[in-house]
Amino acid sequence: MSDDILTVVLVVLGITSAGICLVAAYRAAEIGRGLVSRVHRNRAYWTAVMLGTLMIGFSDPLPGTLGVDLGMIAYVLFLLLVLPFVDGAILAAEDTDFFHRDTLRWRRLRKPVFAVYYATYATLLVSTFGPSTSPVVAFLSNISPGLFVVPGYAIATLVLVARRTADRNLKWYVGYLGVGLAWLVGSVFLYNPSSIPSSTAEQAVIVVGLYFFYRAVMSLSPLGRIEKEVATTSDQTPHVGGLP
Amino acid sequence: MASTGVPTLDNLLGSDGYPDRSSILVVGPPGIGKEVLGYWFVRSGLVQGDYCLFATHRPVSDVLRDMKGVGVSTERVPEWISSSGSPIMCDLRDATSISFNIKEAVHRNKERRVRVATDVLSPLLVLNPVESMYSYWSQLLSDLKQQDSVVLALAEDGMHPPNTLTTMEQLFDGVIEMKLYEEGLAITPLFRVKKMLGLPPLHGYFRFSVSSTGMEVVPHVR
C-alpha cells in the first residue's frame, strides 16, 4: 500500500481517535451532571477530564505537523491528572461497598499519598526541563521514577475495591478501563514515527483502546431510553413526559 | 397520607404523599439521589411529630453529612439503626437482628404514626438468597403495616439481576424508579412511578433536581 494512502488512513484514524475521546468526554460530563452524589459525580467528571487529555495525546498521528508536541503536553497532563482520576474511581467504588472497608488503607493514606506524588511530579518536571548540568537536577532525575509507584498503589486499590463491590456497572467500568489501558500501552510497541505503516498500525490499536474507554464511560451509570407512551381512549390519567 | 417531604412530589401523587400503612420501594443506580427521597421523607415525619426510624448500613455521620449537603435540616434526627454511631447496630451479616430491631423500635412507638426509611434491602439481597429475602421482607412489611406505619425502602439498580428486583417489587405498594435517560446526545435524570397504592397508573416521566435548597419534581416534556 503506498505511503500516500497510508497517510490518509493515518489521518482518518487520528480524527477517529479524537472523535471517540470527544464523544466519550461529553457523555461522561453529561452523566456527571445528572448524578446527585458528589463522589459519583466526581468520578464521571474526572473520567471526562482524562478523556480530554487522551484526545490531546492521541489525535495527532503525525507528530510535529501542528508545530507543537501534543504527545508531550498530553503526557505531562496525564501524569498530573491520573492520581485524582483513580482516586475518584476508588471513592465511588468504596461508596458502593456495603461494609465500607478501607481497602489498602487508601482513605487514611490518600492525603499523604497525594502530597508525595505531586512533590515527586514537580521533581520530574524540574529534572526533565531543568538545566542538565545542575547536580540538584541530576539527583532529582534519579528519584523521579518513584513517581510511578504511587499510581500503581492507587490502581491496585481500585482493582481490589472493584472486586469487593456488588455494583456490576462499576466492575465493568474498571474492566473496560483496564482493557483500554492495555491496548494503549500495547500501541507503544508499534511506535515508530519514521515508518508510516507502523504509525498507521499504532493508531489503529489506539482507536481500539479508546473504544474501550468509551465503553467504560457508558458503564458509569445505567442509561435508559424513554419509552413511547401509548395514548389511551379514556384520558383519565395524566399523560406527561415521553410524548413528543 | 404521609407527606413525601417534597411538595412537588406530593402534588404529583395527587394525594399529598404516600398512602397510609403502605410500603414504597425506590429503585435507582448509585449516585442518582434515591437517598434524598428518604431524607426528605424522614424530615417531613419529624416535623409532623411522627416517630421516624432510619435503618442504614452506613455510619450515622455519613448520612448526616449527606443530609446537610442536600439541604435537609438535621436539627431533629430520626432514631438510627446503623453500622456505627447509633445505640442500635446494623449488622448486615445478621438479617434477623435487623428485622427484630426495626420491629421492636416500631412496637415501642405504636401510639404514634411511624415512618421507616431503610437502605438495607440491597445489601441483604446481595448477601442472602432471594427466596429467603422475599419471605423476610414480606413478614417485616406485613408486621410494620399492622402498625400505623409507612415504609420507604431504597434499592440499588445494577447490583441485582433484573428479575430479583422485579420479584421484590411485588411486595411493595408503590414503586418509584430513578434513572438517567438518553435523549439524543443529552442525558437527563428522570423518575417514573411504576405503581402506587390507591392511584391510577401514572404515565410519563418526571424530571427531578436536587440542590442545597431542596428537591423539586416536574413533569418531563420532550
Side-chain angles (χ1 to χ4, degrees):
Chain A
M1 205 181 261
S2 75
D3 279 358
D4 290 338
I5 296 171
L6 282 178
T7 302
V8 170
V9 170
L10 183 58
V11 171
V12 167
L13 288 173
I15 294 170
T16 305
S17 297
I20 292 173
C21 288
L22 191 62
V23 170
Y26 173 77
R27 300 284 281 198
E30 276 286 287
I31 289 171
R33 200 172 58 87
L35 295 174
V36 169
S37 161
R38 186 176 49 86
V39 291
H40 294 276
R41 203 169 56 232
N42 285 348
R43 174 173 67 125
Y45 285 152
W46 277 116
T47 305
V49 167
M50 283 306 292
L51 282 158
T53 306
L54 291 176
M55 185 174 74
I56 294 171
F58 289 121
S59 55
D60 178 20
L62 300 170
T65 54
L66 296 178
V68 64
D69 190 350
L70 289 179
M72 177 56 76
I73 294 172
Y75 180 63
V76 171
L77 280 176
F78 177 82
L79 289 181
L80 180 69
L81 301 169
V82 68
L83 194 58
F85 164 65
V86 179
D87 176 62
I90 292 171
L91 293 179
E94 286 190 341
D95 187 64
T96 60
D97 176 14
F98 296 133
F99 294 101
H100 308 286
R101 288 165 284 202
D102 187 5
T103 305
L104 294 183
R105 292 184 166 78
W106 177 260
R107 252 181 280 138
R108 260 174 280 182
L109 295 178
R110 56 190 287 267
K111 284 183 182 170
V113 160
F114 267 83
V116 166
Y117 180 75
Y118 284 113
T120 315
Y121 178 77
T123 65
L124 178 66
L125 286 182
V126 171
S127 65
T128 303
F129 299 110
S132 57
T133 54
S134 164
V136 173
V137 170
F139 169 73
L140 291 176
S141 67
N142 286 333
I143 67 171
S144 60
L147 184 75
F148 299 100
V149 172
V150 171
Y153 165 50
I155 290 169
T157 305
L158 177 61
V159 169
L160 276 175
V161 77
R163 286 172 61 88
R164 286 176 163 175
T165 181
D167 186 354
R168 294 153 196 246
N169 290 294
L170 195 136
K171 288 179 192 286
W172 280 112
Y173 172 78
V174 174
Y176 280 129
L177 281 183
V179 173
L181 189 64
W183 276 87
L184 294 181
V185 169
S187 73
V188 171
F189 294 99
L190 295 168
Y191 178 71
N192 185 355
S194 59
S195 163
I196 295 292
S198 282
S199 294
T200 308
E202 180 200 5
Q203 196 67 28
V205 170
I206 288 170
V207 167
V208 173
L210 291 176
Y211 170 75
F212 283 108
F213 274 88
Y214 172 78
R215 296 298 307 171
V217 165
M218 298 308 286
S219 302
L220 281 168
S221 187
L223 299 178
R225 287 193 182 273
I226 295 177
E227 295 160 6
K228 288 191 180 150
E229 298 294 338
V230 177
T232 56
T233 50
S234 58
D235 198 22
Q236 301 266 328
T237 56
H239 284 269
V240 295
L243 297 174
Chain B
M1 309 302 281
S3 169
T4 64
V6 180
T8 45
L9 181 54
D10 286 344
N11 293 338
L12 174 77
L13 293 176
S15 52
D16 296 331
Y18 303 125
D20 284 332
R21 297 177 188 264
S22 68
S23 53
I24 312 297
L25 179 66
V26 182
V27 182
I32 196 74
K34 306 179 292 300
E35 294 79 10
V36 179
L37 280 180
Y39 302 153
W40 282 113
F41 172 66
V42 164
R43 169 68 185 161
S44 166
L46 290 168
V47 167
Q48 293 178 2
D50 297 343
Y51 169 73
C52 296
L53 177 68
F54 204 121
T56 174
H57 61 84
R58 302 164 64 197
V60 169
S61 54
D62 284 2
V63 178
L64 287 174
R65 188 187 61 228
D66 280 357
M67 287 173 86
K68 286 178 194 168
V70 295
V72 178
S73 168
T74 54
E75 284 174 8
R76 278 181 264 187
V77 293
E79 183 160 357
W80 301 100
I81 297 176
S82 72
S83 60
S84 72
S86 63
I88 311 172
M89 296 304 292
C90 174
D91 183 359
L92 293 177
R93 295 183 176 92
D94 187 357
T96 308
S97 75
I98 295 174
S99 173
F100 175 80
N101 288 328
I102 291 175
K103 286 185 208 173
E104 200 196 17
V106 170
H107 290 163
R108 271 190 278 114
N109 293 274
K110 55 187 173 187
E111 68 283 358
R112 299 156 70 185
R113 186 165 68 175
V114 172
R115 296 186 184 214
V116 178
T118 180
D119 60 10
V120 301
L121 187 146
S122 276
L124 291 179
L125 266 179
V126 167
L127 294 170
N128 298 280
V130 65
E131 297 83 11
S132 67
M133 281 295 102
Y134 187 89
S135 320
Y136 174 93
W137 283 96
S138 176
Q139 286 174 11
L140 177 59
L141 294 175
S142 171
D143 192 290
L144 292 179
K145 283 198 278 186
Q146 285 176 14
Q147 320 291 324
D148 183 11
S149 64
V150 179
V151 180
L152 185 79
L154 311 176
E156 302 283 350
D157 183 13
M159 293 196 186
H160 316 287
N163 53 351
T164 298
L165 280 181
T166 306
T167 303
M168 297 306 294
E169 283 176 13
Q170 295 171 20
L171 293 174
F172 290 83
D173 301 307
V175 178
I176 294 173
E177 182 185 60
M178 301 170 80
K179 206 170 190 174
L180 294 178
Y181 285 86
E182 290 182 274
E183 275 190 298
L185 289 177
I187 293 173
T188 313
L190 301 173
F191 81 77
R192 57 186 183 132
V193 179
K194 294 172 84 172
K195 65 172 179 178
M196 188 62 67
L197 179 69
L199 289 184
L202 200 59
H203 295 293
Y205 297 82
F206 303 90
R207 186 188 290 255
F208 65 93
S209 59
V210 177
S211 67
S212 56
T213 54
M215 184 175 186
E216 203 163 311
V217 175
V218 295
H220 176 63
V221 179
R222 291 171 95 181

